[in-house]
Amino acid sequence: MGAGTGRSTRKRRNSGRSRRPERKHRVSITKKRSSVYRGGTRRDPWLRRAASAGWKAGNAAPPDSGASAFHASALQQSFAEWMNESIKEKPGYARMKRLSEAYAQGYSDAAGRKDRGIPLPLRGSAAAVVCASSEEDSIDAVLRELERLPLRQIIVVLNGCRDRSYALARKHRRVTVAYYPDLLGHDVGRSLGAKLAEADIVLFCDGDMAIAAEDLAPFLYAVDAGCDVALNDLNGFLPLFADQDEVTRCKSFLNAVLSRGDLGANSMTAVPHALSGRLLRQLDPRHLSVPPKAQAIAVLEGYRVEAVHAVDVFSGNRRRAGNTGRGNSVAGMIIGDHAEALGEVLRRRGVSGLKPPLSRKDVAMRRNAM
């Protein structure tokens, strides 16, 4: 009897209580903790704070917040605000990446939808330039990865296309396509794209290779932190000096002449790389058509040049008739570009300004270290 009375009393009390309608995507605290505390979040208080902040932002996000470009999304904007308010000194990329992942996981759990974007606490605006020619097999995947980043502009320079590259690029509504019916030549598209870009950071990619957004984000982050030329660090993928080709040796030689032997064979010839708006405003855009010359000018004028992240572009590089085999036309062009860059160094410094030659012992030590 008493048990029955207790049940009826509880039922009467509940029936008189007003209930606030729940949002469909709202999740319980228990579910939140079971998902956002993965990967060591419990052991790191800052990751726990990031996950909790992301959950609060996701719980308050409007249902249509994913409809806009990612740079304007609630996830990107709320993460940038939280980082600026909570962390005074900008952390290194590895640390920031973990905070971003924890925040995004908490946000997704609360919002009830998975956002594939990578939130970054960028203080400036960012854009990307993609150079492509007949890349229908890869251009769509390239653009999908770029759309995961907080980019205000994505510019595709299509030239000499004989396939569906234009139609595929135009399917991406927020992409600006600069179309040229004839081939412009290697790297000329970079100059054209740079003139169209209006951003504090410009990321340069090629349309023949889709690179995961996780491997592109470090270049944006490095330039936002003060770097002017953020290079792809390819040294770890190169063979010993005796087995290197003439192009790789030209890259190393130019850096040595510039007193930047620490860069090894890293060069603006390789993508991805990112440049600061500060550099682009001072540099003649035509120099970007000769990447080694642009790099030499940046070093000579005191801009900050660093190798910031390693992306293997060798295994995924599309093989063409002009870029394979000893003495191929692309290799000859790149060697010529380095000769032009060395000419710029001589013009500015003179022969007396070149770094003194190394001893045979030093040369041997550097060869074996690479």
Side-chain angles (χ1 to χ4, degrees), residues 159-226:
N159 62 104
C161 291
R162 298 293 181 266
D163 62 4
R164 297 172 54 249
S165 294
Y166 179 81
L168 291 171
R170 290 293 294 153
K171 286 184 178 180
H172 296 260
R173 293 186 296 113
R174 299 182 180 90
V175 170
T176 299
V177 179
Y179 178 77
Y180 296 84
D182 300 320
L183 286 169
L184 295 171
H186 288 278
D187 303 318
V188 176
R190 296 187 193 181
S191 298
L192 296 171
K195 292 188 73 172
L196 294 173
E198 299 177 353
D200 301 306
I201 312 161
V202 181
L203 174 70
F204 292 86
C205 305
D206 282 347
D208 62 352
M209 186 188 314
I211 298 172
E214 287 81 0
D215 280 324
L216 297 174
F219 298 93
L220 300 177
Y221 193 69
V223 174
D224 194 65

Side-chain angles (χ1 to χ4, degrees), residues 147-332:
E147 287 169 340
R148 297 177 59 205
L149 297 169
L151 299 169
R152 294 179 182 272
Q153 284 181 297
I154 301 176
I155 300 165
V156 179
V157 182
L158 290 176
N159 62 104
C161 291
R162 298 293 181 266
D163 62 4
R164 297 172 54 249
S165 294
Y166 179 81
L168 291 171
R170 290 293 294 153
K171 286 184 178 180
H172 296 260
R173 293 186 296 113
R174 299 182 180 90
V175 170
T176 299
V177 179
Y179 178 77
Y180 296 84
D182 300 320
L183 286 169
L184 295 171
H186 288 278
D187 303 318
V188 176
R190 296 187 193 181
S191 298
L192 296 171
K195 292 188 73 172
L196 294 173
E198 299 177 353
D200 301 306
I201 312 161
V202 181
L203 174 70
F204 292 86
C205 305
D206 282 347
D208 62 352
M209 186 188 314
I211 298 172
E214 287 81 0
D215 280 324
L216 297 174
F219 298 93
L220 300 177
Y221 193 69
V223 174
D224 194 65
C227 183
D228 292 298
V229 182
L231 298 174
N232 186 3
D233 189 359
L234 296 175
N235 286 332
F237 303 108
L238 299 176
L240 294 176
F241 183 85
D243 299 319
Q244 291 176 7
D245 58 24
E246 61 271 24
V247 170
T248 302
R249 292 175 181 175
C250 282
K251 295 175 182 178
S252 297
F253 181 73
L254 176 61
N255 286 331
V257 167
L258 291 167
S259 302
R260 289 301 307 271
D262 58 297
L263 293 175
N266 293 316
S267 170
M268 281 177 59
T269 299
V271 291
H273 63 258
L275 305 179
S276 70
R278 182 172 77 106
L279 171 61
L280 290 172
R281 286 189 292 272
Q282 299 297 322
L283 185 69
D284 187 333
R286 292 176 297 178
H287 292 323
L288 295 178
S289 299
V290 188
K293 183 178 181 180
Q295 181 170 332
I297 293 173
V299 173
L300 290 170
E301 295 190 357
Y303 288 96
R304 185 172 155 189
V305 181
E306 298 176 358
V308 302
H309 184 66
V311 181
D312 181 6
V313 293
F314 295 113
S315 58
N317 190 25
R318 179 178 169 184
R319 294 188 175 277
R320 309 172 193 262
N323 68 356
T324 55
R326 182 173 291 276
N328 64 76
S329 60
V330 174

Side-chain angles (χ1 to χ4, degrees), residues 23 32 49-61 78 103 106-107 110:
R23 289 172 55 181
K32 180 194 81 165
R49 291 176 193 174
S52 178
W55 188 86
K56 290 178 182 177
N59 210 33
S78 63
Y103 188 98
Y107 185 98

Side-chain angles (χ1 to χ4, degrees), residues 93-115:
Y93 179 75
R95 177 65 172 164
M96 189 284 302
K97 181 183 177 184
R98 296 191 68 196
L99 292 169
S100 173
E101 290 170 345
Y103 188 98
Q105 182 64 64
Y107 185 98
S108 297
D109 284 344
R113 58 179 179 269
K114 181 64 176 176
D115 194 325

